[in-house]
Amino acid sequence: GLSNMGNDMKAAVECGYWPLYRYDPNRVKLGEPPFQLDYKTTNGKVLDFLRNQNRYSQLERSNPEDAKRLTADLDAHLADRMEMMKRRAADAGPTAVKELIDGLKTELLVVYGSETGTAEAVARRFAKYAKQRGCSIRACTEMNDVCDLPSQSPV
C-alpha cells in the first residue's frame, strides 16, 4: 500500500527495475558526459521486488511457468540496460567520436538511417572528424548504395 511506497521505490532502484539517472546537455560544453547514472550497481533482487507487486504475484500464482520465463527475460533485459547505461554515462559525446577515428587512414563509407535527424547529425560529425584525420569519405545517399554494401570492401 501507500505506507510502503518509499520502500517499493527504493527496491525498484536497487534491483535495476527503475533506473535512476540525470541528463544535462550543458555538460558536453565542459567535456563531461551529459548522461549521469546516479545508481550504478544493482543487487539482483528483481524477483523480490516483483513479488511485492500485485500484478506480478497474481501472474506467479496463475501461471508460474510464464512468470518464471518472464522473470528470466526481465533479468537479462535489466542487465543489458544497466551495461548500456554505464557505457552511456562514460561517453563524453564529441570526444568519444574523435577518439574512435583517431589514427584512421582509410576510405570510410558513412551509412546512417534517421527519422529525427539525430543519426544524420552524428554521421556528419563522424565524417568531419575523419576527414580532419586524413580519411576519405564516401557518403551513402541512395537506398541502392545500401543494397550494394556486400560488394564494398572492407565492410
Side-chain angles (χ1 to χ4, degrees):
L2 292 177
S3 62
N4 290 324
M5 188 181 333
N7 292 335
D8 284 344
M9 289 188 295
K10 182 179 180 201
V13 170
E14 288 175 346
C15 76
Y17 186 83
W18 186 353
L20 195 57
Y21 63 90
R22 289 177 275 167
Y23 184 83
D24 180 3
N26 293 323
R27 290 174 50 97
V28 173
K29 296 172 190 168
L30 304 171
E32 298 174 348
F35 181 82
Q36 295 172 274
L37 188 57
D38 293 328
Y39 204 88
K40 298 176 177 79
T41 59
T42 59
N43 63 15
K45 297 181 179 180
V46 176
L47 188 56
D48 292 346
F49 165 73
L50 291 174
R51 284 189 173 141
N52 285 327
Q53 306 302 309
N54 187 42
R55 62 188 178 272
Y56 180 78
S57 58
Q58 287 179 5
L59 173 66
E60 194 173 38
R61 283 189 302 274
S62 66
N63 197 335
E65 297 83 23
D66 280 351
K68 187 176 183 178
R69 180 183 50 79
L70 291 170
T71 301
D73 290 349
L74 179 61
D75 278 335
H77 167 74
L78 295 178
D80 291 346
R81 182 176 68 181
M82 180 58 74
E83 288 308 310
M84 182 271 304
M85 292 178 117
K86 286 178 182 178
R87 286 192 306 273
R88 190 169 184 191
D91 182 7
T95 306
V97 173
K98 281 189 209 177
E99 291 172 2
L100 177 64
I101 59 175
D102 272 343
L104 290 177
K105 300 290 181 200
T106 188
E107 179 184 29
L108 297 175
L109 174 62
V110 179
V111 181
Y112 63 89
S114 182
E115 290 182 19
T116 62
T118 302
E120 181 180 3
V122 170
R124 289 184 186 278
R125 188 171 62 218
F126 182 86
K128 177 182 130 186
Y129 290 133
K131 279 183 184 177
Q132 290 172 352
R133 284 162 181 75
C135 294
S136 61
I137 304 297
R138 189 162 62 89
C140 179
T141 57
E142 298 294 327
M143 196 58 159
N144 290 338
D145 293 343
V146 174
C147 296
D148 194 33
L149 279 179
S151 69
Q152 305 297 318
S153 64
V155 173

